[in-house]
Amino acid sequence: MVWYGRIRRSIAVLFHRDRFDRDLEEEMQTHLDLQTAENQQNGMRVDQARLAARRQFGNAALLRERSGDVWAWLTLERLAQDVRFALRTMRRSLGFSAVAVVTLALGIGANTAIFTLVNAFLLRPLPFADEHRLVLVSPQNKARGIGGVVSFPIYTEWSRSNQPFDVLGAYGVGEGYLSGVDEPARITVGRVTATLIEMLGAKPILGRRFLVAEDVPGGAPVALLSEGFWHKRFGGRTDILGKSVRVEATSYTVIGVLPSSFRLFAEPFDVWTPVAVGDSDSNTNFLTVIGHLKPQVTLPRAQAQMTALNNSMPWSKTGWEVVLSPLRESYVATARPGLLILLGSVAMVLLITCANVMNLLLSRAASRRKEMALRTSLGAERTRLVRQMLTECALLSLAGGSIGLLLARWGVGAFSTIMPASMRPLGGVHIDGAVLAFTALVSFATTFLFGLAPALRVSNLDLNATLKENSRSISSGVRGNLGRTLVSSEVALALVLLIGAGLLIRSFGRVLNVDAGFRTDHLLTMETTLTGSGFSKPWQMADFFDRLLDRVEALPGVQSAAAVNVLPIVGIGVDNGLRLEGLSDESNHRVAGLRVVTSNYLHTMGVPVRKGRGFTADDRGGAPSVVVVNETMAARFWPGQDPVGKRIRIYRRESRYQIISEVVGVSGN
């Protein structure tokens, strides 16, 4: 029952410490009085007897502290003492404390801000069910440098023979215009398979998901709304189920609302529709395919099975192959190198910060050397002195880490504001528990990085020599080779960072000077679409744009005006399948981006025509239709030949038929 008595005493000490201190003082005084009386009986005077008793009793303060060792909570008591002493020391030297805290705040804040980005992009799990079993299934043609998306027929063929997968799903991204609800609005439309919604674990907050029976050619036109779009356009009305929304020329019945947390990109789709309803007969490559691996199926095994399947398909003869990769890689692969470089850079900044603060501590240690020598001579142990100085460093780190966290929060907020929506990670960028733990770890680590060496150096003293030293010899003795090493290290690290920053600025300057292939100054754009019965025929749309461009060109200050279906750079659009005339079908599958323009487009954009000619007003409605290809397409599809006069068959996704077109010119890239 000894342990029971110790627990009771520890609890009693916790709540009645003053009483135990008084009992200890009385007991120590009793010992002194008894020893003094004994010395008097041996013939000493009263003052001599009391002095001899104190010498025989020993260091009262040290004995008082050691006597308390038998009590509990000694570690907490000493920690509280060290914290109080450290706070008093920091108040006495506010200038030093402020400089150290600000220096640490900048270093820790930079590391916290960058780690927040690393956590958001690379570490945080994707918001999908069974993320570790999700695989991106990508077609690639390395010889042509194209791939990534497939047509609906190819996806259907894969789905029939999905040997390594429980299920395959696919999605395509498009834009459309919502009509019939207040004012027409431009929206983002996600064309998805019913299997994808279920595979990724999306649970509607209202209504239901797509049924497999609805995701078939000729199926009922149904749609899911995103939560944000539901609130924005329909006020969050629960009676939205069963209502119709019109996207472009198709009317969809709303069957559910997906939560805002479910998204495939940083910006969620406004409306989700089944891909098979409108694109089942499209040969255009626009679908991204995702597979859910079967249990016990590894990625290499799945890759082998899909390679065997691909080799049995005709398109493999033209250089197409299937590559499987973890879905996470599709989100983080491009961001990882840059983020790791940034993380390494701010880690070097933190090392420079620690070296700076360590130099400051070494300088201050010079003025405290005699203090430490005096405390050692009074009985203080070296471990206690080191712990005391580390406590002071910990308080500096805690203050610096707290301010650094505030700076990081401000920096992350500013970065999120200027970050393009297309570059944001799923779930956004914010400070969470992992970031707080990282900040605490960095603050704890910096305590030992910059505090341990000065603490060990100043606590390892030759008492006699130290008490006789003057201030100059103290300063040089404390700093010594360590200070010079720290300065050299700081210069080396700073030089590496400066070289990296110089290269970054130089690269950025080159990016700004890259020739975009069109004039980038004095250009203004606007976007519109034409819906309704008044624009159901192509000639009606063409007539509208003719009248619109005539009126725009008549405006003061406008030199020329043109129209294009997808803007360069800011709009990627989708790839269109095409075939070159004169080649067999087995080896004649090509993919290229397609833009539809008015006759004045190349002139207005300042795109040079290298061969042949550009467009004229007479080209519209002619047979065959005419196209202008850029230099890259000409070199890839007709190497060593003149492409002018060649004919191609373009499979148009929108109109679902092929157009025979003649190449009349080659433009710059």
Side-chain angles (χ1 to χ4, degrees):
M1 299 296 292
V2 176
W3 60 271
Y4 177 72
R6 290 180 177 176
I7 293 177
R8 286 189 58 189
R9 182 174 57 193
S10 299
I11 296 175
V13 170
L14 180 63
F15 294 101
H16 305 286
R17 180 58 189 268
D18 293 341
R19 178 168 61 82
F20 279 85
D21 287 339
R22 288 194 301 269
D23 292 345
L24 179 60
E25 289 292 339
E26 292 175 0
E27 184 177 353
M28 294 175 63
Q29 188 61 45
T30 299
H31 282 288
L32 284 173
D33 292 342
L34 291 174
Q35 188 63 48
T36 300
E38 182 180 346
N39 291 341
Q40 285 181 309
Q41 291 177 1
N42 292 333
M44 293 184 182
R45 296 195 307 271
V46 176
D47 56 341
Q48 291 177 341
R50 185 177 295 109
L51 184 60
R54 291 185 179 278
R55 285 199 300 268
Q56 293 170 350
F57 190 78
N59 190 328
L62 183 60
L63 289 173
R64 187 180 296 109
E65 184 173 328
R66 288 178 176 175
S67 298
D69 289 351
V70 299
W71 300 342
W73 321 110
L74 180 63
T75 301
L76 293 179
E77 292 173 8
R78 290 181 175 176
L79 178 60
Q81 293 173 1
D82 292 342
V83 170
R84 288 194 296 268
F85 183 81
L87 290 174
R88 290 196 298 269
T89 303
M90 292 172 64
R91 282 198 300 267
R92 287 198 302 267
S93 53
L94 287 177
F96 165 83
S97 300
V99 171
V101 168
V102 170
T103 303
L104 289 172
L106 294 175
I108 296 175
N111 277 266
T112 302
I114 298 302
F115 181 78
T116 302
L117 298 178
V118 172
N119 178 60
F121 280 95
L122 307 183
L123 303 180
R124 186 186 301 154
L126 297 178
F128 305 135
D130 289 341
E131 175 202 347
H132 62 287
R133 295 173 61 189
L134 296 178
V135 174
L136 184 67
V137 186
S138 302
Q140 290 186 9
N141 192 317
K142 296 180 180 178
R144 302 174 188 171
I146 54 178
V149 290
V150 299
S151 64
F152 187 82
I154 294 294
Y155 161 75
T156 303
E157 182 65 27
W158 284 354
S159 299
R160 293 195 188 103
S161 308
N162 58 342
Q163 300 175 6
F165 303 108
D166 287 326
V167 64
L168 281 178
Y171 70 90
V173 185
E175 291 183 344
Y177 275 79
L178 180 75
S179 60
V181 181
D182 298 329
E183 296 180 356
R186 179 183 174 187
I187 61 174
T188 304
V189 181
R191 296 181 173 90
V192 299
T193 62
T195 53
L196 182 74
I197 298 289
E198 182 177 359
M199 178 174 60
L200 299 183
K203 297 180 179 179
I205 59 176
L206 187 68
R208 60 173 177 84
R209 296 182 290 209
F210 296 132
L211 301 177
V212 175
E214 294 169 335
D215 188 21
V216 295
V222 293
L224 292 167
L225 307 181
S226 69
E227 184 179 5
F229 184 72
W230 174 49
H231 282 286
K232 179 180 179 181
R233 299 295 299 187
F234 302 97
R237 291 162 32 203
T238 56
D239 62 349
I240 188 64
L241 299 181
K243 303 292 185 181
S244 295
V245 294
R246 189 176 184 84
V247 180
E248 299 292 345
T250 305
S251 182
Y252 295 90
T253 301
V254 178
I255 61 171
V257 177
L258 292 176
S260 57
S261 58
F262 177 73
R263 56 186 64 187
L264 295 174
F265 302 96
E267 288 296 313
F269 297 144
D270 296 318
V271 176
W272 306 69
T273 63
V275 67
V277 172
D279 299 284
S280 58
D281 58 347
S282 173
N283 286 310
T284 302
N285 295 325
F286 70 103
L287 286 177
T288 300
V289 181
I290 300 174
H292 187 271
L293 289 176
K294 293 179 179 178
Q296 310 305 322
V297 175
T298 62
L299 188 61
R301 178 182 171 186
Q303 177 66 71
Q305 293 178 351
M306 288 301 295
T307 299
L309 173 63
N310 180 72
N311 291 339
S312 65
M313 300 177 67
W315 76 337
S316 64
K317 298 178 181 179
T318 61
W320 286 92
E321 58 183 353
V322 179
V323 178
L324 305 187
S325 60
L327 181 61
R328 165 171 282 276
E329 287 300 307
S330 66
Y331 287 96
V332 306
T334 56
R336 181 185 288 114
L339 288 175
L340 293 181
I341 290 174
L342 284 176
L343 190 62
S345 299
V346 295
M348 296 176 68
V349 171
L350 183 62
L351 290 177
I352 294 175
T353 298
C354 292
N356 275 325
V357 177
M358 191 182 296
N359 261 325
L360 292 174
L361 288 174
L362 287 173
S363 298
R364 194 177 70 158
S367 62
R368 300 186 62 183
R369 194 170 171 90
K370 287 190 175 182
E371 172 197 336
M372 295 301 174
L374 182 60
R375 292 177 64 183
T376 302
S377 65
L378 293 176
E381 298 177 351
R382 186 186 183 192
T383 55
R384 183 65 187 276
L385 296 179
V386 171
R387 189 170 62 216
Q388 172 63 60
M389 295 196 68
L390 287 180
T391 301
E392 297 178 21
C393 295
L395 290 179
L396 292 175
S397 294
L398 180 62
S402 300
I403 299 176
L405 186 61
L406 295 177
L407 293 176
R409 184 176 180 182
W410 173 82
V412 168
F415 187 79
S416 299
T417 301
I418 64 175
M419 181 188 297
S422 59
M423 295 178 60
R424 295 172 188 166
L426 296 179
V429 181
H430 57 270
I431 294 177
D432 56 14
V435 176
L436 294 177
F438 174 81
T439 304
L441 180 62
V442 169
S443 301
F444 180 77
T446 53
T447 299
F448 290 92
L449 278 175
F450 68 76
L452 190 58
L456 292 175
R457 181 176 278 264
V458 79
S459 62
N460 186 21
L461 304 171
D462 182 345
L463 299 183
N464 291 329
T466 301
L467 293 174
K468 295 177 182 179
E469 286 177 342
N470 57 36
S471 59
R472 180 172 298 181
S473 62
I474 289 176
S475 178
S476 61
V478 172
R479 293 178 63 85
N481 293 330
L482 179 58
R484 289 189 289 272
T485 302
L486 289 175
V487 172
S488 301
S489 301
E490 288 181 65
V491 173
L493 291 173
L495 184 60
V496 172
L497 290 177
L498 285 174
I499 293 174
L503 292 174
L504 180 63
I505 293 174
R506 183 179 180 184
S507 300
F508 184 67
R510 288 185 173 182
V511 170
L512 293 179
N513 293 325
V514 167
D515 182 12
F518 58 90
R519 61 181 302 179
T520 57
D521 61 300
H522 294 81
L523 286 178
L524 298 178
T525 67
M526 60 167 285
E527 299 184 32
T528 186
T529 191
L530 305 179
T531 59
S533 58
F535 302 103
S536 59
K537 304 296 183 181
W539 67 266
Q540 293 174 318
M541 296 184 181
D543 180 66
F544 171 84
F545 280 108
D546 284 341
R547 290 184 287 111
L548 174 64
L549 294 178
D550 288 341
R551 295 180 65 178
V552 171
E553 287 184 331
L555 294 175
V558 175
Q559 293 182 349
S560 63
V564 60
N565 64 332
V566 181
L567 289 172
I569 296 181
V570 296
I572 299 176
V574 296
D575 290 335
N576 283 74
L578 56 89
R579 298 179 186 274
L580 312 184
E581 285 201 344
L583 297 179
S584 62
D585 288 345
E586 293 184 358
S587 60
N588 195 11
H589 181 77
R590 301 290 193 273
V591 175
L594 174 68
R595 281 178 167 81
V596 181
V597 303
T598 56
S599 59
N600 205 28
Y601 176 78
L602 296 178
H603 169 71
T604 302
M605 295 293 291
V607 179
V609 177
R610 306 298 188 190
K611 290 182 179 180
R613 64 175 178 84
F615 296 114
T616 66
D618 297 332
D619 289 326
R620 190 172 67 197
S625 67
V626 297
V627 295
V628 173
V629 301
N630 67 3
E631 291 176 299
T632 297
M633 179 173 171
R636 181 175 297 165
F637 292 171
W638 298 281
Q641 304 178 47
D642 185 358
V644 177
K646 301 290 186 181
R647 291 194 175 192
I648 59 177
R649 297 186 180 187
I650 303 174
Y651 294 88
R652 293 291 306 277
R653 173 186 170 192
E654 296 85 352
S655 51
R656 302 180 182 87
Y657 64 89
Q658 60 179 336
I659 301 175
I660 301 176
S661 301
E662 179 182 343
V663 179
V664 296
V666 179
S667 71
N669 291 326

